[in-house]
Amino acid sequence: MSSTVSPHLSRLVQNMQESSTLRMAQLSRDLSAQGHHVINLSIGEPDFTTPKHICEAAKKALDEGYTKYTPVPGLPELRQAIVTKFKRDNDLEFDINQIVVSNGAKQTIANLSLALLDPGDEAILFSPYWVSYFEIVRMTGATPVPVYAGVEQDFKVQPDQLEAAITDKTRFVLFSSPCNPTGSVYTREELEALAAVVARHEGVYIISDEIYEYINFTDRHVSIGSLPSVKDRTITVNGFAKGFAMTGWRLGYMGAPPEIAKACAKIQGQFTSGASAFGQKAAAHALLSDLGPTREMCAAFRHRREVCYELLSKIEGMKVNYPQGAFYFFPDISAFFGKTDGETVIENSDDFCEYLLHNAHVGTVAGTGFGAPNCFRLSYAASEEELREAIERIGNALARLK
Ligand code: PMP
Ligand code: GLU
């Protein structure tokens, strides 16, 4: 029997914004289901499948009986592999007790926010930020404090901007490098300058989201946690979704000071427990195996970056950045605001993306949810053929705007 009475919904959920990346991905799927040929460049998801040897390791783990609960922070075998990986790739020294594995890096960030923030506290987010940072922080009752860096400064926050944003309520500074949504990558020197600022403020932590570590087109990925000035105050977040094309496996992890790791495991123990057992076995195998397939995927993304950069730059009115990592372009499209095709007026980036979805059948995400209302995000985790066609369609649709 259906009820006509609306359920009481909490203030938390009523005040929360839906994830704009997931929303646009769903709208693209819906339009496809209606029979349109939609090219979905909205969600940040590698178009590759998980390398075969990792899938084989999961099958073997199932056969071996890895079908039960694991310790909340993860199987010791996986945590040890993460310790080894952090040392090998990132020059980070962790003990196994400092590692917590979660159901995706999204949960890692949620655990951290719940563990470190009280209502009234502040969390600094380098902006443009990944959409979920903002809402996760808000859900704790704390205040997200965006520090904005626009395309003219390659979307990179400067030390004096960070200094000006820190108050006695700041609990942590959160950013991703390589960055979602901008693709910007901080250099060692830039990270040193930012670390020097944080080091002057006792009690402020850095949460460094390095989930795009392996999709980096610069010479080297640098982990800010390896810098001596902030080594004991940095929490390094990573995951399997991007570098190993394992989005659906839901596996993320972090290395953190011991008390913070313990606090996150306590929270996770009440929400979800440990991540899936056979997935963790395969993840340990992934980290310790040859990274050849990961490097090949990175090379493919790099090639597509060149293709997209050339094509997007030709579209009049679009101010295109040149990303150094991840798989996104984040162009400034404010030149289109106020234009119309005779029916729809493009007032903002949400209108812009909706216009592209309905008139070019290309799914993208508005910059609004990333804290950058003048921009939109296009993921190039798609085949070269699809990307060429998508950008051609975008160019044609935009040419109709006057
Ligand atoms: N951080 C960033 C910057 C991301 O883009 C994403 C999206 N995948 C995540 C964290 C969450 O990743 P996961 O799929 O492991 O939850
Ligand atoms: N992180 C990806 C994105 O930004 C996946 C979707 C999500 O969880 O936001 O598109």
Side-chain angles (χ1 to χ4, degrees), residues 19 21-22 43-44 106 130 180 212 242 328 377:
S19 162
T21 51
L22 301 184
I43 197 162
K106 200 177 256 185
W130 176 45
N180 176 5
Y212 294 94
K242 316 293 169 170
Y328 307 106
R377 191 188 78 173

Side-chain angles (χ1 to χ4, degrees), residues 35-212:
H36 298 289
H37 175 211
V38 177
I39 304 179
N40 184 3
L41 307 183
S42 61
I43 197 162
E45 173 160 47
D47 54 316
F48 302 103
T49 47
T50 306
K52 205 164 181 317
H53 67 100
I54 303 175
C55 297
E56 291 304 327
K59 291 181 201 165
K60 183 159 171 277
L62 276 170
D63 288 340
E64 285 171 358
Y66 282 86
T67 57
K68 308 221 155 151
Y69 289 136
T70 72
V72 173
L75 286 171
E77 180 185 335
L78 174 56
R79 281 184 287 153
Q80 189 53 55
I82 292 168
V83 167
T84 304
K85 179 258 178 263
F86 272 144
K87 179 78 199 135
R88 180 192 70 198
D89 298 346
N90 310 100
D91 204 12
L92 295 171
E93 301 269 358
F94 287 111
D95 179 80
I96 188 169
N97 296 322
Q98 296 178 265
I99 308 296
V100 179
V101 177
S102 301
N103 295 284
K106 200 177 256 185
Q107 187 183 23
T108 306
I109 291 158
N111 284 343
L112 283 165
S113 299
L114 288 166
L116 297 176
L117 298 172
D118 278 318
D121 286 345
E122 294 175 358
I124 293 178
L125 309 180
F126 286 7
S127 172
Y129 43 75
W130 176 45
V131 290
S132 292
Y133 294 164
F134 195 88
E135 289 304 314
I136 290 172
V137 166
R138 247 165 42 84
M139 273 189 264
T140 69
T143 306
V145 179
V147 178
Y148 187 72
V151 63
E152 64 294 342
Q153 57 188 81
D154 193 21
F155 297 112
K156 289 180 182 174
V157 169
Q158 298 304 306
D160 55 333
Q161 291 183 280
L162 176 58
E163 181 69 66
I166 296 179
T167 72
D168 56 3
K169 292 184 184 154
T170 308
R171 294 290 166 259
F172 61 71
V173 177
L174 166 57
F175 67 98
S176 62
S177 175
C179 175
N180 176 5
T182 65
S184 292
V185 176
Y186 284 88
T187 64
R188 174 179 292 278
E189 291 67 34
E190 288 162 344
L191 291 174
E192 276 169 349
L194 294 168
V197 173
V198 175
R200 284 199 286 277
H201 297 271
E202 219 176 306
V204 176
Y205 284 86
I206 297 171
I207 302 181
S208 175
D209 182 348
E210 303 181 14
I211 196 162
Y212 294 94

